[in-house]
Amino acid sequence: MSRHGGTGSELCIGCMDSNKFTGEIDYLGLDPSVTNGTQFYWNVPSTGVIYNNTPVGTTFSAIYVAPDIAAALYIQIPGSLAATEAVGQGFYTYPCSATLGTISIGFGSKQYAIDVADFGLGQASPGSPDCVGGIVGRSVGSGLAILGDEFMKNVYSVFDYGSMQVGFAALTSN
């Protein structure tokens, strides 16, 4: 995954490339509690969605979060509205010209910011002054969220099946 057709993503099975991230990898143990004790997904506990250092929700392609969390985020973005059914249920629009604050996802004691270049999914329709936001309010299961490429482009990720954990680290460059 990269921005504007550039290169940069890779899949490295059984290895890590320390040239791609800075600092330490923050590992989180998998949490099967949200799927009735069975590990179906790469479930990790999140501390929430954060806008300009203000938490807007504590649970949590796009990033799919509970509808109330999406609403709490978009109410902070001036001019944002729930999108029409033509765009899709749970989607929001905001003025393409808006200056967005910092949108982050929290894990453990760390927050991982989403580059504003990755937040928008594009114009709501050709020639529209409104863009579609990359965080969608849709219930995907109690306490679950799906982190799509809007998030994954912004972190170095390690999926460690042997230790049943996921790790995130800051990228060396975005």
Side-chain angles (χ1 to χ4, degrees):
M1 293 176 278
S2 57
R3 292 182 194 92
H4 311 295
T7 60
S9 296
E10 66 183 17
L11 175 62
C12 182
I13 298 174
C15 58
M16 289 188 295
D17 186 346
S18 60
N19 294 316
K20 302 281 183 180
F21 64 93
T22 62
E24 297 293 317
I25 296 175
D26 184 30
Y27 284 99
L28 303 152
L30 300 185
D31 180 9
S33 67
V34 294
T35 49
N36 297 321
T38 303
Q39 192 64 48
F40 290 119
Y41 312 105
W42 289 93
N43 303 348
V44 291
S46 169
T47 55
V49 176
I50 300 103
Y51 185 80
N52 280 340
N53 293 318
T54 302
V56 297
T58 57
T59 61
F60 149 160
S61 117
I63 298 171
Y64 291 87
V65 298
D68 59 326
I69 293 172
L73 168 66
Y74 286 103
I75 201 166
Q76 296 185 58
I77 300 173
S80 66
L81 299 168
T84 65
E85 288 301 315
V87 175
Q89 181 181 6
F91 285 86
Y92 285 78
T93 61
Y94 64 94
C96 296
S97 61
T99 300
L100 298 175
T102 303
I103 301 169
S104 305
I105 307 288
F107 293 97
S109 63
K110 295 188 179 182
Q111 295 179 15
Y112 297 92
I114 299 167
D115 190 302
V116 294
D118 298 322
F119 178 71
L121 299 176
Q123 289 180 300
S125 61
S128 172
D130 294 321
C131 287
V132 178
I135 293 183
V136 180
R138 185 166 304 156
S139 180
V140 293
S142 179
L144 292 176
I146 298 174
L147 300 178
D149 62 343
E150 284 78 10
F151 175 76
M152 300 301 284
K153 286 180 188 180
N154 292 280
V155 296
Y156 187 87
S157 305
V158 177
F159 296 89
D160 183 347
Y161 186 77
S163 297
M164 299 302 285
Q165 61 186 1
V166 174
F168 298 119
L171 295 173
T172 53
S173 65
N174 274 340

